[in-house]
Amino acid sequence: IKIMRQLILLVISLILATTIQADVELKGLLLNQTRTFAGQAFYVAFVDNWQVLDSQGQYNLVIVERPSARSGSQISVKYGEQIIYQQVLHFNAQKAQKAGQNAASVVFDRVMNEQVEQVFSANPDMAQDEIKLN
């Protein structure tokens, strides 16, 4: 009973701490939602190359895999709620690894473009017709 009471107090204190500090933001998360060996190979290669590009760990990404028995897997990389990279992988770990290595730089460039666009859209003095990215 004493352990149960301590556990309940711990849970309550954690809930209170998270509600009080709701403005704390976690950065540098790379969530793995892959399911197959090819998806795992893509994810590992992607993360290895991503960590070199985002050495400060500033950006959160989600790597999602939708496997299909016929056509391989569709890999998507999400930044925020937006899909910024998609590719179909066939069930070949070597090709998936290469795709993950190449995808990291493509995704990094797209994240940087997204950051620049957010800065420009936040400033009303910079009209959309004056500055074109891409």
Side-chain angles (χ1 to χ4, degrees), residues 50 53-54 58-59 79 84 106-118 133:
W50 180 261
L53 297 169
D54 182 24
Q58 296 180 343
Y59 305 105
Y79 175 64
I84 59 172
V106 172
V107 169
F108 189 77
D109 289 344
R110 290 181 182 167
V111 168
M112 292 299 104
N113 283 341
E114 186 68 28
Q115 291 288 308
V116 169
E117 286 184 23
Q118 285 178 3
L133 300 174

Side-chain angles (χ1 to χ4, degrees), residues 15-82:
I15 290 171
L16 290 175
T18 56
T19 55
I20 292 170
Q21 297 182 5
D23 60 342
V24 174
E25 184 178 327
L26 295 175
K27 292 187 177 186
L29 296 177
L30 299 173
L31 300 179
N32 182 5
Q33 294 183 355
T34 60
R35 297 186 175 122
T36 66
F37 66 91
Q40 290 292 319
F42 178 92
Y43 177 79
V44 169
F46 181 89
V47 168
D48 287 345
N49 287 289
W50 180 261
Q51 288 175 339
V52 171
L53 297 169
D54 182 24
S55 60
Q56 301 289 320
Q58 296 180 343
Y59 305 105
N60 298 330
L61 301 174
V62 180
I63 293 87
V64 180
E65 178 183 22
R66 296 202 189 325
S68 168
R70 288 186 175 178
S71 60
S73 293
Q74 181 181 33
I75 296 284
S76 302
V77 179
K78 293 182 180 181
Y79 175 64
E81 295 297 318
Q82 184 180 5

